[in-house]
Amino acid sequence: MARPTRSPYHGTFKKLVLALDVGTTFSGVSYRSVFDIGLRTTPTDTPHSILDPGHVPEIEDVTRFPGQEQVGGDSKIPTIIYYDQHGNIRAVGAEALKDIESMIVERGWTKAEWFKLHLGPSSESNVTQQIPPLPKNKTVLDVFSDFLAYLYKCARGYIEESHVNGARLWASFENHIEFVLPHPNGWKGAQQAQMRKAAIRAGLIPDTLEGHSRVHFVTEGEASLHFCVQSGLTIEALAASIYALSQMNYGEGILVVDAGSGTIDITAYGHDKSAATPAGLTFQEIAPPQRFLRDSAFADNVDHITRCFDKTIKLRFRNMKDPQYIKFGSARDKDLSLGIRSGQLKLDGADVAAFFEPSISCILDGIAYQRKSSSKSINTVFLVGGFAANDWLFSELKDSLEPMGVNLSRPDVNV
C-alpha cells in the first residue's frame, strides 16, 4: 500500500489557509499556500506552499516570533499573556519568558496561562478546578481572543517578511483567509461557538455569515492522526501505520495518545466508510475520548528551573542510571546540600525516572480503558505531542505494550 499523498487544490482562485493552534502550554501557527517559484526569500524555496488551483499544497510553520532566544527554527511559543493592572497586554509568548520579573512585581502584572482549558465543557470541571484562575476582570473569551490576535499578527509579519512582495501578497488574501482552529476531543458546538466569537473579537473575521464560514474546526486527535499518516513517521512506523489503516477496513481501530506539555489526550479512531475521501483518510471516534492533566514534577519550585527541565531533561532523558543536570544559573550559584554546583542542579537518574512514572501509568491505564471501551479491536497506538520526543517515555510504554500485542509508533517530528 502506497504512502498517502495530498490531493491537488481544486478551487478556482488562490487562497491562504492559517491554522492557529492555541495549545494548553505551547502554541504555533501553520499555513497552506502556493507562491510562484522564485518568490521565496529564504534559501529553501518552497514553490507550492497558498492554495493554487491544480497544485498540491505544502504546509509551512511560522518559525519567527518576538522574544525568541533563537531567531528562526522554533515554531512553538509559550501560551502565556501578562496583563498590567489596567488590563492592558504587556508580554505575550516568548516575550513572557524574558527577564521581566522586576516589572511583574513592581507594576503588578498578572499572568494568564492554561486559559484554554477554561473554555472546556462542564464535564471537564475536574480539569478547570486544577488550573490557574484567569486574571482579574478578564474572561476566557478576552484572553483567548487576545492570544489569537497575537498569533495572527505574528503570522502576518512572518509571511510579509519571508516572501518577496510579501505585504502586497498578504493584502491580496487578507479578506478571504480561511482559518483552522484545533480543539481538544470532546469539545462540541458550544466550545466552537466561543472560539468563533474569539476569532471575531481578534479581528480575524467579520461577524457575518461569510466570515463565520471561514472558520473551521478540527479535533487535536484527528489532526495528529492525519499528521502521522501523511508525514513524520519513521519508515518502520509508517509501514505499521499503513498496515493499521488497511486493517481498519476489516474492523480494527487506531489509538492516538497526545502527550503534551500539560495534558494527555487519548482518543480511539476507526475508518469512517460513509464519509470516505479519495485518499480514504476519514476517521470517526469509536470510544469516548479521555483527557488528563499532567502534574509537574517541579510544581513547587522556581518557574525558571521548571522551564529548564522542560527544555532539556524532559526531552532527552533515557537512562535511569545516569545522573541529570539542570543548568539554570551562573557559576556563583552553589548549594551542595541541594545538589547545586556552578548553577547546575544535579538529579539522580532514578529520581528523574520517578518523575515520569505518573505519566507512564496514566497513559497505560488510558490505553487499557480505550481498548476495553472501543467498539473495534485496537492493536496500534500513535504517540504524538511534545512529550512524545522523550526516549524514556517511549521505551517504557513500548516495553509495556508489546507483550499485549500492541504496536507503538511516533513521528520523527513532534506535533
Side-chain angles (χ1 to χ4, degrees):
M1 182 177 177
R3 176 177 177 153
T5 58
R6 297 188 183 96
S7 301
Y9 169 54
H10 297 298
T12 56
F13 56 89
K14 291 184 179 182
K15 185 184 294 185
L16 173 65
V17 179
L18 279 180
L20 306 180
D21 182 11
V22 180
T24 302
T25 54
F26 287 93
S27 299
V29 182
S30 298
Y31 63 99
R32 275 188 176 187
S33 56
V34 175
F35 299 100
D36 294 336
I37 296 176
L39 288 186
R40 192 81 170 135
T41 62
T42 56
T44 54
D45 196 326
T46 305
H48 298 307
S49 92
I50 287 178
L51 297 181
D52 198 12
H55 291 289
V56 176
E58 298 293 334
I59 298 176
E60 295 194 51
D61 294 326
V62 172
T63 58
R64 192 163 56 243
F65 294 92
Q68 285 180 318
E69 293 181 2
Q70 245 180 333
V71 178
D74 192 351
S75 60
K76 294 288 187 180
I77 58 170
T79 311
I80 298 174
I81 302 180
Y82 275 103
Y83 294 95
D84 64 20
Q85 293 177 321
H86 304 290
N88 300 313
I89 299 172
R90 289 305 180 186
V92 187
E95 299 170 303
L97 299 184
K98 292 295 184 180
D99 188 16
I100 58 175
E101 283 82 2
S102 60
M103 288 183 285
I104 293 172
V105 176
E106 292 172 8
R107 303 179 187 180
W109 292 3
T110 306
K111 180 163 67 170
E113 59 181 340
W114 294 60
F115 53 84
K116 171 184 174 179
L117 299 185
H118 286 283
L119 272 177
S122 57
S123 59
E124 294 183 357
S125 59
N126 63 316
V127 172
T128 55
Q129 290 173 3
Q130 301 177 56
I131 59 179
L134 294 166
K136 188 178 180 180
N137 299 324
K138 291 289 181 181
T139 67
V140 63
L141 200 58
D142 295 332
V143 182
F144 201 90
S145 60
D146 284 343
F147 204 84
L148 279 180
Y150 180 79
L151 291 180
Y152 179 67
K153 178 182 177 182
C154 292
R156 175 175 182 167
Y158 180 83
I159 292 175
E160 288 183 343
E161 294 172 7
S162 299
H163 300 272
V164 174
N165 298 320
R168 187 176 66 182
L169 186 66
W170 179 270
S172 69
F173 295 113
E174 188 171 13
N175 294 325
H176 52 268
I177 299 173
E178 302 280 336
F179 295 94
V180 178
L181 303 181
H183 63 73
N185 295 62
W187 285 23
K188 304 296 182 184
Q191 289 74 45
Q192 292 176 353
Q194 289 288 91
M195 294 174 72
R196 187 178 288 108
K197 284 183 181 179
I200 294 169
R201 283 198 187 185
L204 274 58
I205 57 169
D207 191 7
T208 63
L209 288 177
E210 184 276 333
H212 292 189
S213 69
R214 291 196 281 119
V215 176
H216 311 274
F217 301 99
V218 62
T219 63
E220 293 166 357
E222 187 168 357
S224 297
L225 178 54
H226 279 282
F227 178 84
C228 287
V229 173
Q230 292 286 351
S231 62
L233 284 172
T234 62
I235 293 177
E236 177 184 0
L238 179 61
S241 73
I242 292 176
Y243 174 77
L245 289 172
S246 68
Q247 294 305 301
M248 278 187 167
N249 293 319
Y250 302 100
E252 288 196 10
I254 287 178
L255 205 58
V256 176
V257 177
D258 186 352
S261 297
T263 58
I264 296 172
D265 295 275
I266 305 178
T267 314
Y269 290 98
H271 185 207
D272 185 0
K273 297 181 181 179
S274 65
T277 65
L281 300 175
T282 303
F283 309 100
Q284 62 181 352
E285 294 179 13
I286 55 177
Q290 294 172 284
R291 159 160 283 200
F292 307 95
L293 282 182
R294 281 202 314 102
D295 293 330
S296 171
F298 293 99
D300 298 323
N301 288 274
V302 181
D303 285 347
H304 179 59
I305 297 180
T306 306
R307 291 196 298 269
C308 293
F309 178 87
D310 287 345
K311 289 181 179 180
T312 55
I313 295 177
K314 195 173 93 171
L315 297 178
R316 73 188 182 205
F317 178 68
R318 61 179 62 190
N319 191 334
M320 66 183 299
K321 296 181 180 179
D322 297 332
Q324 302 294 313
Y325 298 90
I326 304 176
K327 177 69 174 177
F328 69 93
S330 66
R332 298 191 307 271
D333 297 310
K334 179 181 179 181
D335 189 333
L336 299 183
S337 65
L338 297 176
I340 298 174
R341 184 193 301 271
S342 299
Q344 289 191 121
L345 174 63
K346 180 181 178 181
L347 296 172
D348 188 80
D351 291 334
V352 176
F355 297 156
F356 285 79
E357 187 55 38
S359 295
I360 294 171
S361 297
C362 176
I363 292 173
L364 290 174
D365 290 344
I367 290 174
Y369 176 83
Q370 289 287 320
R371 296 184 74 206
K372 183 178 179 180
S373 304
S374 172
S375 58
K376 298 183 179 182
S377 172
I378 297 177
N379 296 306
T380 300
V381 177
F382 292 159
L383 181 66
V384 300
F387 198 24
N390 180 264
D391 290 336
W392 177 260
L393 175 71
F394 182 74
S395 63
E396 288 294 291
L397 292 175
K398 196 172 184 68
D399 289 346
S400 298
L401 293 173
E402 280 187 343
M404 296 184 281
V406 177
N407 178 72
L408 179 69
S409 304
R410 63 177 173 176
D412 282 334
V413 180
N414 306 316
V415 293

